[in-house]
Each structure stands twice: as C-alpha cells, then as structure tokens.
Amino acid sequence: MVLGTTSGAGKSWLTTALCRYYSNQGLKVAPFKAQNMSNNARVVEGIDGAWGEIGSAQYFQALAARAVPGVRMNPLLLKPEADTHSQVVLLGQVNAELTALPWRGRSAVVWPQIAAALDELRAENDVVVIEGAGSPAETNLHASDIVNMRVARHAGARCLLVTDIDRGGAFAHLYGTWALLPEDERALIHGFVLNKFRGDASLLAPAPQHLQERTGVPTVATIPMQWHHGLPEEDGVFDDRSTTPGAVHTTVAVVAYPRISNLDEFQPLKNVPGLRLQWVRSPADVAGLRPSDWIVLPGSKATAADLAWLRAQGLDQSIAAHAGQGGTVLGVCGGLQMLGEALIDPEGIDGNGPGLGLLPLVTVFEPAKTVQRTSAAFGQLTGAWAPLSGVRAEGYEIHHGQTAQHPAMAAKGDVAREVMPGIAWQNPAGNVLGVYLHGLFEDAAVLHALFGAQAPTLDAVFDGLADGVARHFDPGVLDALIA
C-alpha cells in the first residue's frame, strides 16, 4: 500500500509505477483505492454488464497493471459539486441515498462493499497495489476512516509512506505522520520514500539515519523530480516547466473554472511539439491569443455554477470576442453545454441559466446520467476543424444533460451542424466545435489529424515509470514487499 504525508505527495504516481513494475515481473496485478475524491473519472466495466465510473488514477493504474479497469478498483468515488457537497458514486453508479448522508455517516454503510471489492481483487490477483488518500494521520477522520489504515489493517498490507521533499519539511512530515498513528498501525509502515528530490542525495545524510533511529523505519527510496514522466496529474494543473521544447506555433488555453472535470484528458497535448498549454482564469490570460490559438471549455461537475463563475470573471466576453474574430473554440461535455443558448434544469440537477450563445443549442438536465464508452466518426467539418472530417474517435461520455437544436432558432434557419449524431455540433463559420466525447486527444487518429503528431504511448510511459522505481529503490525492497 502507498500512503502519503499529504495530498500531492506522489501516491498515484508511485502506485502506477509499482503496478507496471510488478506486472513486468510476470505477476497478475490490480490497483485498488477504496475512496477517491476527484472530478476526473473514466468509464469502465461495471457490475452485471453496466458501464460505471472510477477515478482516472485507478483507470491508468489498471492499464499499467495490464488489467481490465473495473469498478471494484475504486468502489467509492466522490465527485465534488460544491465546497461542502459531493456526488457519491458507489461501485460505478451514482447513489442518491449515500449522496444525502452526512460524510461520517457513510462509512458504516459503504465499508462492507469496499472490503468485499478488495477481498475479491486479492483472491483473483498475485499482487494488489493499494493507494491511500490524503494522509493516514488525519486524527479527526481516523474513527471513520475507510481509505487509509482501516484498509491497510484489513489487508495486512505492507505500507510505503511517501512525501514530497520539494515542498520542504519532508522529514518532519514523515516523522509526524508515523508518530500520530497508533502503534499497531505504525508496524505496517515498511519504508519511507522521498519523492521529487532535486540536488545531491548525499546531502540528505544524516537525516534518514536519524529518522530510522527514531522510528525503526528505513528510507528505502529517493526519487528525483520528474517534469516529463508523461502521466496525467490527477487533480493538478499543467506546469509551464512541462511544456514541450521547440518554437510554439499554437497556444491551447484551457479555462480553469472551479469545478473543472476530466482535465487529465489534455495530457497528450503537452507532448505535441510546438503546442503550449496554459490555464485561463481571467481575461488577461487570453488577451494575446491569435485566431489560430484555441480556447477550450473543458468538462465541469457543476456546469451552471462554473458558467456563472466564468461570467463573473468577464471571460464570457473574452471568449465571444475570440470566436467573433474567427478564433478556434472547443467545448467538451460541460463546455459544450456552456456554448449553447440555454441550460434548462426542470429537476434541480445542475441549474438554469443562459449559455454563451456560440452554438444554437439548448441543454436539458435529466436525473439519468449518461455513462458509456463511445466510438463514432466525425462527419464533414469545415474551418479549423476540417482535418477531423471522417476521423473515427474513441472516447467516453459522462453527463446528465441532453443537448439538441434550439427549436425557435432552428425555425428561423439558425442551426448548428451536427457532425457526430447526438455528440458533436459545429457553428456555420467552422471555428466553434462542441463535443460530448471525452478523451479525444488520447486518440492517436485525432492527434495525427489535427497536429500531424503522435504522443508517446501509455505503455511507454508506464514502462518508464517502472524503470525509474527499479533504479531508485534500494535493492531488494520491492521484491520483499510482496514476499
């Protein structure tokens, strides 16, 4: 099991690397995270043949393990819709009753399903690599814990505790986390991992030795900072230091509203030569864009609220101005819904409101949620999106709303071009495209059509991660963890 001293310490990254490392040893491997809080989700095999949702991190970990991703690998997914409210997804399906329960009240209800999912994976595999959440030493959450040490105790897991040394205070974080655990849980910690280290590792001495003297736990790995490992950040933003080398010919500006979802699908664009990704939070961020540059409205877990935020920043006018001068605009899922004329919410699912008016469409929110894998070909497109004409794209859909032509506008002849039935629409000028299909840029055919480029395969990324941990862990440690 991989635990962390904080969120962002590197748990997801290390879990993914270990999944591929053990798979490369010829073992049957599966990932597991009892509870994930993230608006980055993927569509996977569910129970009884139904599609379901899990966190993106566990989806990639399953691929790294060469396993078929399934809902048991992340039985509980919390998708934040506001600062104090999350949609609860249990074994891949939205659960309204659990969503209505208080945070601490859910633990007793969901633990049996979590334990069963973990037990089934353990029975079916040689190795299960478990990821914790946040820190295991949050004493206010310990009594209702279902994702950290309760899981570790249930599985008798051998645990690694990873910390982000680039933040500073790494040894205090490791010691403090260990010290706050009950004695029986401390005994499950088999090694400390220093992640994101920059500099001369010999300068760390004598701190690892002092830490081991106080805790009995060795520091088993010092992993260097890696800007180009190729794995999507689970909940982070793009880092300018990750920009591909070479002269920039196109900027892709992604609007970073508060409830942004599925941001990881843009990871492949970071590897396209000459492309620069940037986050947009104010009109100043888009002031220098040329018509050939893109503005992307990504997915959102709270479309109406994020659209209101966008207007409050004045970004609605900036986006309209960019589109008005022929600038390229893409809306994905919630972003597509924002591009239309109106959001209609008769069931109180998301919220009502006027759209940006860049596509003559209207979206009606419904209680039933569309969750499915999708493969479809684009029809004939024009303008900036013409290279996608006839291209078959593979991806996934996760949305409550259903979108259609605006009836009154259609009656007057103002109609969006439906370039993928029920999934994608384009404006007559050809510069604005809205799609429900997530994962476009993870499709090699789409990347090649738009940029003549090919991003590194995920298999190459996973093997690189596995090679890295093999180099940076002390000899024999990784094998001893599963002995």
Side-chain angles (χ1 to χ4, degrees):
M1 185 170 187
V2 179
L3 302 166
T5 57
T6 62
S7 295
K11 294 184 294 294
S12 296
W13 179 95
L14 183 54
T15 301
T16 307
L18 293 177
C19 282
R20 177 50 61 99
Y21 173 85
Y22 289 122
S23 176
N24 283 348
Q25 313 309 307
L27 299 167
K28 187 178 181 184
V29 183
F32 181 82
K33 183 167 184 172
Q35 174 182 282
N36 197 347
M37 178 177 280
S38 177
N39 278 332
N40 296 326
R42 296 295 171 121
V43 176
V44 301
E45 289 187 359
I47 307 297
D48 298 327
W51 293 111
E53 297 178 69
I54 64 171
S56 290
Q58 283 64 63
Y59 171 82
F60 287 112
Q61 288 161 4
L63 297 184
R66 298 185 175 93
V68 177
V71 295
R72 295 178 302 168
M73 296 170 180
N74 175 209
L76 193 65
L77 175 63
L78 309 180
K79 305 187 78 172
E81 297 177 322
D83 287 346
T84 58
H85 178 77
S86 295
Q87 182 184 72
V88 178
V89 179
L90 179 65
L91 290 171
Q93 303 300 314
V94 175
N95 190 303
E97 291 77 15
L98 287 175
T99 298
L101 279 179
W103 179 286
R104 287 183 171 87
R106 295 179 191 142
S107 299
V109 178
V110 299
W111 175 250
Q113 288 110 315
I114 288 173
L118 175 55
D119 290 343
E120 289 169 7
L121 290 175
R122 293 173 63 202
E124 296 167 9
N125 293 275
D126 300 314
V127 180
V128 176
V129 186
I130 305 170
E131 180 185 342
S135 162
E138 305 289 358
T139 54
N140 58 313
L141 300 177
H142 193 271
S144 56
D145 171 46
I146 53 171
V147 65
N148 285 310
M149 300 315 294
R150 186 173 185 180
V151 173
R153 293 195 309 270
H154 180 83
R158 292 167 174 164
C159 300
L160 297 171
L161 181 61
V162 59
T163 192
D164 177 358
I165 196 170
D166 193 53
R167 294 184 179 185
F171 294 103
H173 289 166
L174 291 168
Y175 180 76
T177 301
W178 176 87
L180 285 171
L181 294 176
E183 189 170 342
D184 63 325
E185 295 178 359
R186 292 178 190 171
L188 297 174
I189 307 297
H190 283 245
F192 295 138
V193 176
L194 301 171
N195 190 30
K196 304 181 186 178
F197 180 71
R198 292 188 279 183
D200 181 355
S202 67
L203 298 178
L204 294 172
Q209 292 82 359
H210 288 171
L211 188 61
Q212 185 169 357
E213 290 167 5
R214 288 168 170 79
T215 65
V217 179
T219 298
V220 296
T222 301
I223 300 173
M225 177 70 77
Q226 300 179 64
W227 301 116
H228 298 280
H229 55 68
L231 194 67
E233 296 292 336
E234 183 180 15
D235 291 304
V237 297
F238 303 123
D239 193 311
D240 287 341
R241 289 167 289 191
S242 300
T243 303
T244 54
V248 173
H249 57 71
T250 304
T251 294
V252 177
V254 183
V255 180
Y257 19 73
R259 301 299 168 197
I260 187 172
S261 67
N262 295 78
L263 60 89
D264 54 304
E265 66 182 305
F266 302 109
Q267 165 69 31
L269 295 181
K270 294 168 66 176
N271 302 317
V272 175
L275 213 62
R276 180 171 70 95
L277 266 68
Q278 72 174 65
W279 290 105
V280 171
R281 296 185 177 89
S282 72
D285 295 331
V286 299
L289 294 183
R290 303 161 299 172
S292 59
D293 295 326
W294 296 17
I295 292 180
V296 177
L297 280 69
S300 167
K301 192 62 189 72
T303 303
D306 277 347
L307 182 54
W309 172 89
L310 187 149
R311 283 199 167 92
Q313 313 311 308
L315 278 166
D316 56 333
Q317 298 176 43
S318 299
I319 295 167
H322 184 69
Q325 64 174 354
T328 306
V329 177
L330 173 67
V332 180
C333 198
L336 155 66
Q337 296 169 349
M338 294 181 191
L339 290 175
E341 290 290 331
L343 305 174
I344 300 175
D345 189 13
E347 304 289 340
I349 304 299
D350 190 291
N352 297 288
L356 297 176
L358 296 181
L359 290 172
L361 304 172
V362 61
T363 295
V364 178
F365 292 109
E366 300 175 349
K369 191 175 189 179
T370 299
V371 178
Q372 62 189 25
R373 298 286 305 176
T374 300
S375 173
F378 283 101
Q380 187 64 42
L381 292 95
T382 60
W385 304 104
L388 289 177
S389 298
V391 173
R392 176 165 289 275
E394 306 280 344
Y396 57 101
E397 297 178 61
I398 304 177
H399 55 92
H400 276 285
Q402 300 299 323
T403 299
Q405 304 283 350
H406 189 292
M409 299 180 73
K412 297 179 180 179
D414 190 358
V415 178
R417 300 180 65 247
E418 193 170 14
V419 293
M420 191 180 279
I423 298 175
W425 294 264
Q426 183 183 32
N427 68 336
N431 61 313
V432 178
L433 177 67
V435 298
Y436 266 125
L437 195 64
H438 287 290
L440 273 180
F441 303 116
E442 296 169 344
D443 189 294
V446 170
L447 270 188
H448 187 267
L450 289 172
F451 306 110
Q454 185 173 354
T457 66
L458 281 173
D459 267 333
V461 170
F462 297 145
D463 283 334
L465 299 181
D467 291 345
V469 295
R471 287 194 307 272
H472 299 298
F473 269 78
D474 290 347
V477 167
L478 296 180
D479 294 335
L481 288 172
I482 63 167

